[in-house]
Amino acid sequence: MLFMHLHSKGNVVNSIFWGLWLFPLGMLVMRSGFLPRVFGMWLVGGGFGAIIAVSFRGTLRPAIPRHGVYDFAAPALFRN
């Protein structure tokens, strides 16, 4: 059970880094000119949404189910 709990905490840490890498990628897309700037803005917005969802899930309300947070943050994460 210890390792199952550690795996869950590892997924939270992984999700933080997953959201953080969207910031520099979004900035590169906005500055490159190869793709429209709106894609870069979506990436940066998705990074904010991911960080908010992970911090809300991992720190503020760890008892709620994981799918509930991502359903709540779906507009910010640009997911269906």
Side-chain angles (χ1 to χ4, degrees):
M1 289 303 296
L2 171 70
F3 290 113
M4 291 187 71
H5 289 292
L6 287 177
H7 178 72
S8 174
K9 300 299 180 191
N11 283 339
V12 171
V13 172
N14 185 32
S15 297
I16 291 170
F17 286 111
W18 180 259
L20 286 177
W21 81 273
L22 291 174
F23 295 116
L25 180 65
M27 295 303 294
L28 287 173
V29 168
M30 282 194 285
R31 292 181 184 172
S32 72
F34 179 72
L35 295 171
R37 283 186 190 262
V38 70
F39 291 148
M41 289 186 254
W42 281 350
L43 285 168
V44 171
F48 280 119
I51 296 300
I52 289 169
V54 168
S55 66
F56 182 74
R57 162 71 176 105
T59 59
L60 299 178
R61 295 284 309 258
I64 62 174
R66 170 160 253 161
H67 60 83
V69 173
Y70 287 102
D71 291 342
F72 169 73
L77 294 172
F78 302 107
R79 294 182 182 178
N80 290 332

